[in-house]
Amino acid sequence: SINEYCSWLRDGHLVLYAVGPDDDIQSWIWFTVAEDGARIAPFDFGLRMRVPSGVGFLYDAFTVPAYRRRGLYKVLLIRAVEECFLRGAHQVWGHAQTTNVSRRVILTTNITDEITVQALRMGPFCQISGPSFHRTVSVDGVLEMEALLPSIGTKAEKEATGPASTG
């Protein structure tokens, strides 16, 4: 909602958007960069995410239906990642539902690794499951990004170091 977006701006969250020749907003993506300490960012299911210092977090991307399939989201996604790094992030994480088209676009950028974290809303709680954890949190709670996602580095770092030795 407009009030929610205004609140996000007041809280220092950032948005990139595409505007057409008719001055209509066609697409947007929100992001948060924890430059000087952890930041609380919007997430999903009424939850918030504590983004650790030095990390960027992308969320709430949308393209107006009349402007879809023109590459707007992909351009904004890549620009948002670049902006996070320009603002001091050494890692950038994003959020997309596994059934969402944006997830497929994210995977075409070649700037990402994927970790699946499942979230299931159960009344006033949300059950969060991932590769090495399972917990239930209050919907009004804050998820700790560091506890949810391992530090996996970038594809470039992995390619530079090669496969792990089994020694």
Side-chain angles (χ1 to χ4, degrees):
S1 75
I2 294 284
N3 290 337
E4 184 176 47
Y5 291 152
C6 288
S7 171
W8 292 357
L9 287 170
R10 280 191 303 273
D11 290 343
H13 304 289
L14 304 163
V15 62
L16 291 174
Y17 53 91
V19 176
D22 55 3
D23 289 330
D24 284 344
I25 293 178
Q26 299 174 346
S27 186
W28 65 79
I29 186 169
W30 284 86
F31 63 102
T32 295
V33 181
E35 299 175 61
D36 299 318
R39 296 279 318 268
I40 304 296
F43 183 57
D44 209 346
F45 297 108
L47 296 168
R48 293 165 291 146
M49 178 73 72
R50 184 180 318 277
V51 181
S53 185
V55 174
F57 181 58
L58 313 176
Y59 52 93
D60 195 41
F62 182 78
T63 300
V64 174
Y67 300 106
R68 291 182 179 161
R69 302 189 58 80
R70 298 179 186 191
L72 294 172
Y73 171 65
K74 188 171 185 175
V75 168
L76 290 176
L77 172 70
I78 291 169
R79 182 67 187 119
V81 169
E82 291 170 349
E83 190 66 28
C84 286
F85 286 121
L86 287 172
R87 291 172 178 268
H90 59 269
Q91 283 185 354
V92 178
W93 292 96
H95 162 63
Q97 295 180 1
T98 58
T99 57
N100 194 305
V101 172
S102 63
R103 177 180 167 264
R104 291 192 297 272
V105 173
I106 291 167
L107 294 174
T108 68
T109 64
N110 199 31
I111 59 171
T112 184
D113 285 313
E114 180 179 41
I115 295 173
T116 301
V117 175
Q118 296 177 332
L120 175 65
R121 175 84 182 256
M122 302 178 311
F125 298 99
C126 190
Q127 184 179 59
I128 308 292
S129 302
S132 61
F133 65 89
H134 181 79
R135 61 182 55 102
T136 301
V137 295
S138 168
V139 168
D140 293 326
V142 175
L143 293 175
E144 300 290 335
M145 182 182 282
E146 290 177 315
L148 296 178
L149 304 171
S151 178
I152 60 171
T154 64
K155 277 188 173 184
E157 288 171 340
K158 285 184 177 182
E159 290 169 0
T161 59
S165 113
T166 57

